[in-house]
Amino acid sequence: MSQDGVDLERSLGYLLKEASSALRAAMEEVLRPLGMTVTHYSCLELLAQRPGLSNSELARGAFVTRQSMNVLLQALERDGYVTRPAAPPAGKALPTRLTPRGRRSLEKASAAVRSVEVRMLAGLSGDDQSEAVRILRSMIQSLRA
Amino acid sequence: MSQDGVDLERSLGYLLKEASSALRAAMEEVLRPLGMTVTHYSCLELLAQRPGLSNSELARGAFVTRQSMNVLLQALERDGYVTRPAAPPAGKALPTRLTPRGRRSLEKASAAVRSVEVRMLAGLSGDDQSEAVRILRSMIQSLRA
DNA sequence: TGACTCATGTCAGCATCCTGACATACGGTG
DNA sequence: CACCGTATGTCAGGATGCTGACATGAGTCA
């Protein structure tokens, strides 16, 4: 290995990517024994917090395309984790809901993911966490503009 | 669109992913006119800061696999942006270096990316940025453990 | 010296995800 | 009403990236 970074360790953009990547890896690690992927979990978690989300809304929330989310939803529906009405109640959007089975499956995954987040925040005070939320929100808003 | 997040907006993990995703999208947007992808740029930037990095080291730094970085390096070498010795000076690692052409290409991209980072940090004070660096480093370290 | 471990570069095969496109449905505005 | 812009679900097609595996080179330790 070469010498460590000069500029890189000071670049917020790089640190952001690094942290996000490490978080995803840690999540994959704890979700794999449960036979679940990160997108899989994200979808269930989104549905638990906001029942009735459409395919497109779930895709945006899980940071994948509508097409990818659609194949995932078809699998989840086939296996009985979620339900969608046969016909759209309005427009074209199909509101999706968790089944009891989906809810049970989510509980285990949620506990696993929560443990990862706890570990991630181990060295941070409550104030630090509030600051982090504020700063990240500011970054997101500025980038969207 | 449904009601906005209850728990989601408070989850540091989610905000992290959201910020990272927004940053990547913004970078893709400014790099596309230059015919460059984010991984492409990351590779050049890494080489500018640490000349002589091997394929594997570049892959780790750009958060892709060795295999993916290898095909990128082959293209970059073919087009004259980087050079690698025909035979490894030691072991199997081939130290890679930027050519003048690669350096010129990087300059434009670097300016574009810097403008994105400036925009991202628009609403943040210097203290905020230092805090962000400290907090992100703590998260990364805790996750690696 | 020999056995073991680890890291590297590279090959093949495959899964994943995205780009592009289409028909449809809603909301506004003339 | 007719038109236009936007959003949705869905269908291929293709590019991109990853997993798995192998041989090689270097370092470690008995």
Side-chain angles (χ1 to χ4, degrees), chain B residues 2-53:
Chain B
S2 307
Q3 60 179 356
D4 251 356
V6 185
D7 239 9
L8 234 45
E9 304 292 322
R10 286 192 183 79
S11 161
L12 259 175
Y14 194 84
L15 284 174
L16 208 55
K17 174 66 183 173
E18 198 174 351
S20 177
S21 173
L23 174 59
R24 164 168 277 261
M27 288 176 67
E28 279 172 351
E29 195 175 342
V30 299
L31 288 175
R32 189 172 310 121
L34 303 176
M36 214 179 281
T37 107
V38 173
T39 306
H40 188 142
Y41 159 76
S42 302
C43 177
L44 264 47
E45 184 70 49
L46 283 164
L47 284 174
Q49 296 196 13
R50 315 189 204 171
L53 250 47

Side-chain angles (χ1 to χ4, degrees), chain A residues 121-122 124-134, chain B residues 12 135:
Chain A
L121 302 176
L124 299 174
S125 69
D127 284 351
D128 286 342
Q129 299 181 28
S130 305
E131 283 294 287
V133 168
R134 179 181 62 81
Chain B
L12 259 175
I135 290 172

Side-chain angles (χ1 to χ4, degrees), chain B:
Chain B
M1 195 69 65
S2 307
Q3 60 179 356
D4 251 356
V6 185
D7 239 9
L8 234 45
E9 304 292 322
R10 286 192 183 79
S11 161
L12 259 175
Y14 194 84
L15 284 174
L16 208 55
K17 174 66 183 173
E18 198 174 351
S20 177
S21 173
L23 174 59
R24 164 168 277 261
M27 288 176 67
E28 279 172 351
E29 195 175 342
V30 299
L31 288 175
R32 189 172 310 121
L34 303 176
M36 214 179 281
T37 107
V38 173
T39 306
H40 188 142
Y41 159 76
S42 302
C43 177
L44 264 47
E45 184 70 49
L46 283 164
L47 284 174
Q49 296 196 13
R50 315 189 204 171
L53 250 47
S54 73
N55 176 30
S56 290
E57 291 170 322
L58 286 169
R60 276 194 295 272
F63 306 100
V64 296
T65 60
R66 290 174 289 167
Q67 294 84 337
S68 297
M69 183 54 72
N70 197 29
V71 305
L72 173 60
L73 278 182
Q74 284 171 4
L76 289 178
E77 194 173 15
R78 170 174 50 78
D79 297 343
Y81 293 104
V82 304
T83 51
R84 286 190 290 182
K92 298 189 69 179
L94 289 173
T96 311
R97 295 187 172 277
L98 284 181
T99 64
R101 177 175 189 179
R103 223 176 304 272
R104 275 196 304 275
S105 172
L106 173 60
E107 275 175 24
K108 300 178 195 168
S110 214
V113 169
R114 202 160 12 222
S115 77
V116 169
E117 223 176 37
V118 166
R119 194 175 79 206
M120 178 175 80
L121 302 175
L124 269 44
S125 69
D127 283 351
D128 285 342
Q129 298 181 27
S130 305
E131 283 294 285
V133 169
R134 180 180 61 82
I135 290 172
L136 285 173
R137 278 198 189 139
S138 166
M139 287 182 182
I140 293 165
Q141 189 179 0
S142 298
L143 283 172
R144 299 247 183 269

